[in-house]
C-alpha cells in the first residue's frame, strides 16, 4: 500500500521515535504526523533532528481526544494510521492499571472510530506477544495461539486487539495487527530490563533481578521491528495478524551477566529482588508467517545489537539524564521503598 501521509501515534516513545526516524530516512516522499501526549515515557529529546524535518509534524495530544484526532486526520489528509501510543510497562500496570485501560483500550477505540470516519485506508495496531500469555519450557506463539493475557498491561493490549479485529469484521475496515517480542536498542526508557541494567551497572548500583532470573524473553533489535511494521503496513493483507520476533530467547540472568561483562563490572552487583506478581515465565515468537508473507527477516544479530545498545547508552548520558530527571526517581522510590535498591 502506498501512502502520502501517515499518522504515527506515540512517536516520542522508544519504538515510535525509532520508527519515525526509519520512515523519514527510507521514505523520502512521505509526510509523518506524530501525535504523542508526552508521558514520562515520551520525550522530544528522542526525536532530535527529526524535529527539524519539514516532513515531520509533531503534535502534542492524546489518542483519547476524539476531536483532536479528527482535526489532525482532516488537516493532514492522513491516509494511514500506525498506533504505537500506549502505556507499555508491565510493572506500572500492576500498581496502577486504570491508565492502561484509558490509553490502550479507550485510546485505540477512539483512534479506530476516527480513522474509520475519516476513511483512512489502513490502520496498523502495534501489539505485543504478551497477549498470548506465558509459555512452558517448549513451543512458541503462532498467530493461532489463543489470547490469554496475564497482566493488566497485556489484558489492555488484548482488549485493543479485539477492538481492531471487531472494526475489521464488523465494518470491513482495513486493519493489521503486529505482535512483537521484547525490543531493545537506543532511546528505550531505563525502566525496562536492558537500559535499567546498563544504567545501574555504570553507576555501580545493584542490578535488581526478579525471582530466580530464569524468565525467558525473545529479543529483537528495534530497527528490525520498525522494518517489520512497515513491511506489514505496505504488504500485509487486510484483517491479518503478524507475529514478529528475533529468535533470540534468553533468560534474564544471561542478559544481565552479558551487560556486566561488556562494561567490565562485577557480578556481585546482581541483587535478587522480590518477583513480579504474575510474572510470565517464557515468551517465544514464531514469526514464520511474517517471514514468508512479508519477505521480512531480522538484520541485526543479538551480539551486534546488544553491543551497539550498550555503546549507545554509554555515549548518550545527556539523553539519559534528561529522561530520568524527576519522575523516574519517584517511581523507583515507590517500587523499592526506602531501600531504593534499583538506584
Ligand atoms: P513507550 O512507553 O516507550 O512509548 C509510548 C509512547 O506513547 C510515549 O511516547 C508516550 O508519551 C505515548 N503515549 C502514551 N499515552 C498516550 C496517549 N494517550 N496519546 C498519545 N501518546 C501517548 O513504549 P514502546 O516500548 O515504544 O512501545 C510502543 C508500542 O509497542 C506499545 O503499543 C507497546 O505495547 C508495543 N510493544 C512494545 C514492545 C517493547 O518491547 N517495548 C514490544 C512489543 C510491542
Ligand atoms: O514482550 C513484549 C513486551 O516486552 C512489551 O509488550 C512491553 O511493552 C515491554 O515492556 C516488554 O515487557 P517485559 O515485561 O518483558 O519487559 P521488562 O523489560 O519490564 O522485563 C523483561 C524481563 O526482565 C522480565 O522477565 C522481568 C525482568 N526484569 C525487569 C526489570 C525491569 C527484572 O528481572 N528486573 C527488572 O528490574
Amino acid at each position: 500500500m502506498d501512502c502520502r501521509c501517515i499518522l504515527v501515534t506515540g512517536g516520542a516513545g522508544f519504538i515510535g521515535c525509532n520508527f519515525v526516524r526509519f520512515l523519514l530516512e527510507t521514505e523520502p516522499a512521505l509526510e509523518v504526523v506524530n501525535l504523542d501526549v508526552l508521558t514520562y515515557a515520551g520525550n522530544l529529546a528522542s526525536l532530535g533532528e527529526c524535529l527539524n524535518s519539514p516532513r515531520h509534524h509533531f503534535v502534542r495530544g492524546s489518542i483519547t481526544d476524539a476531536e483532536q484526532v479528527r482535526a489532525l486526520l482532516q488537516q493532514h489528509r492522513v491516509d494511514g494510521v500506525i498506533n504505537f501510543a500506549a502505556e507499555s510497562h508491565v510493572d506500572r500496570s500492576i500498581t496502577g492499571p486504570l491508565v492502561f485501560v484509558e490509553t490502550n483500550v479507550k485510546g485505540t477505540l477512539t483512534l479506530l472510530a476516527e480513522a474509520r470516519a475519516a476513511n483512512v485506508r489502513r490502520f496498523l495496531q502495534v501489539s505485543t506477544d504478551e497477549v498470548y500469555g506465558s509459555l512452558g519450557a517448549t513451543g512458541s506463539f503462532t498467530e493461532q495461539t489463543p489470547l490469554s493475557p496475564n497482566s493488566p498491561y497485556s489484558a489492555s493490549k488484548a482488549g485493543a486487539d479485539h477492538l481492531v479485529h471487531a472494526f475489521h469484521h464488523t465494518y470491513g475496515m482495513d486493519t493489521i495487527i503486529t505482535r512483537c517480542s521484547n525490543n531493545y536498542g537506543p532511546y528505550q526508557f531505563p525502566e525496562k530490563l536492558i537500559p535499567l541494567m546498563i544504567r545501574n551497572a555504570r553507576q555501580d548500583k545493584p542490578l535488581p533481578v526478579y525471582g530466580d532470573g530464569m524468565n525467558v524473553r525473545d529479543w529483537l533489535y528495534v530497527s528490525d521491528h520498525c522494518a517489520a511494521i512497515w513491511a506489514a503496513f505496505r504488504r500485509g493483507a487486510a484483517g491479518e495478524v503478524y507475529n514478529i520476533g528475533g529468535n533470540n530467547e534468553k533468560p534474564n540472568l544471561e542478559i544481565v551477566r552479558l551487560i556486566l561483562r561488556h562494561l567490565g563490572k562485577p557480578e556481585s552487583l546482581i541483587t535478587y529482588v522480590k518477583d513480579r506478581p504474575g510474572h510470565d515465565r517464557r515468551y517465544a515468537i514464531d514469526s514464520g508467517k511474517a517471514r514468508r508473507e512479508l519477505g521480512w527477516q531480522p538484520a541485526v544479530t543479538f551480539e551486534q545489537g546488544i553491543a551497539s545498545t550498550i555503546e549507545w547508552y554509554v555515549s548518550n548520558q545527556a539523553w539519559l539524564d534528561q529522561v530520568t530527571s524527576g519522575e523516574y526517581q519517584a517511581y523507583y522510590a515507590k517500587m523499592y521503598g526506602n531501600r531504593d535498591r534499583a538506584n
Side-chain angles (χ1 to χ4, degrees):
M1 168 159 315
D2 290 324
C3 280
R4 190 197 56 81
C5 180
I6 297 280
L7 173 63
V8 170
T9 68
F14 163 47
I15 307 174
C17 79
N18 279 284
F19 187 71
V20 167
R21 287 166 195 280
F22 170 88
L23 282 185
L24 294 175
E25 275 163 31
T26 58
E27 298 293 335
L30 193 70
E31 298 278 319
V32 180
V33 180
N34 181 353
L35 176 65
D36 195 305
V37 79
L38 299 179
T39 66
Y40 76 94
N43 201 304
L44 287 180
S46 304
L47 285 160
E49 67 283 6
C50 300
L51 295 171
N52 300 323
S53 167
R55 292 188 293 115
H56 174 238
H57 313 281
F58 181 82
V59 181
R60 187 172 192 183
S62 173
I63 59 168
T64 59
D65 182 343
E67 275 179 31
Q68 187 170 21
V69 170
R70 193 174 313 146
L72 275 183
L73 293 175
Q74 280 171 7
Q75 183 195 340
H76 293 275
R77 290 184 290 118
V78 167
D79 41 21
V81 172
I82 303 187
N83 183 27
F84 292 88
E87 288 294 336
S88 70
H89 194 45
V90 173
D91 293 327
R92 287 180 190 255
S93 81
I94 294 167
T95 50
L98 199 57
V99 67
F100 283 72
V101 174
E102 178 74 13
T103 300
N104 301 357
V105 182
K106 189 180 160 205
T108 302
L109 176 59
T110 305
L111 267 185
L112 280 165
E114 293 306 325
R116 176 171 171 257
N119 289 319
V120 162
R121 288 165 59 206
R122 173 160 276 185
F123 184 104
L124 188 146
Q125 173 71 2
V126 181
S127 186
T128 167
D129 60 358
E130 298 201 10
V131 297
Y132 295 122
S134 185
L135 290 165
T138 58
S140 53
F141 300 127
T142 72
E143 290 79 359
Q144 275 70 50
T145 304
L147 303 198
S148 182
N150 288 319
S151 70
Y153 162 69
S154 53
S156 68
K157 291 295 288 186
D161 284 13
H162 284 308
L163 286 166
V164 174
H165 169 77
F167 268 64
H168 174 71
H169 188 81
T170 307
Y171 306 117
M173 191 167 164
D174 183 329
T175 62
I176 301 264
I177 296 173
T178 56
R179 296 191 179 130
C180 190
S181 60
N182 286 61
N183 285 217
Y184 68 106
Y187 301 106
Q188 186 168 33
F189 191 76
E191 65 184 349
K192 306 290 196 307
L193 181 76
I194 289 179
L196 173 70
M197 297 300 172
I198 297 171
R199 181 170 189 259
N200 282 16
R202 291 197 68 220
Q203 298 177 355
D204 296 311
K205 288 180 174 167
L207 273 53
V209 170
Y210 297 166
D212 62 1
M214 296 311 287
N215 297 65
V216 171
R217 298 293 183 263
D218 174 359
W219 294 93
L220 183 72
Y221 195 66
V222 64
S223 59
D224 282 328
H225 187 194
C226 293
I229 290 169
W230 193 229
F233 186 86
R234 295 187 59 204
R235 297 195 284 280
E240 291 296 314
V241 174
Y242 297 93
N243 282 354
I244 318 284
N247 262 344
N248 282 312
E249 282 186 57
K250 310 265 179 225
N252 296 333
L253 205 49
E254 186 181 322
I255 301 219
V256 171
R257 289 193 171 125
L258 190 67
I259 290 169
L260 287 169
R261 268 204 307 282
H262 264 276
L263 292 171
K265 298 289 183 177
E267 290 205 1
S268 56
L269 286 176
I270 295 174
T271 308
Y272 292 92
V273 299
K274 196 167 165 292
D275 207 354
R276 171 186 282 175
H279 197 173
D280 284 341
R281 191 64 173 169
R282 177 173 162 261
Y283 304 142
I285 274 277
D286 177 344
S287 54
K289 179 177 173 184
R291 290 170 194 245
R292 281 189 309 276
E293 297 183 14
L294 305 175
W296 167 86
Q297 59 175 24
V300 181
T301 65
F302 186 74
E303 292 65 32
Q304 292 164 342
I306 195 74
S308 67
T309 301
I310 295 170
E311 178 51 36
W312 188 87
Y313 280 93
V314 169
S315 312
N316 285 274
Q317 188 60 43
W319 178 87
L320 262 177
D321 290 344
Q322 184 162 353
V323 302
T324 55
S325 54
E327 204 265 0
Y328 181 86
Q329 305 301 339
Y331 172 69
Y332 274 101
K334 209 165 126 197
M335 282 275 292
Y336 295 98
N338 291 332
R339 290 169 301 154
D340 205 9
R341 295 174 91 156
N343 279 288

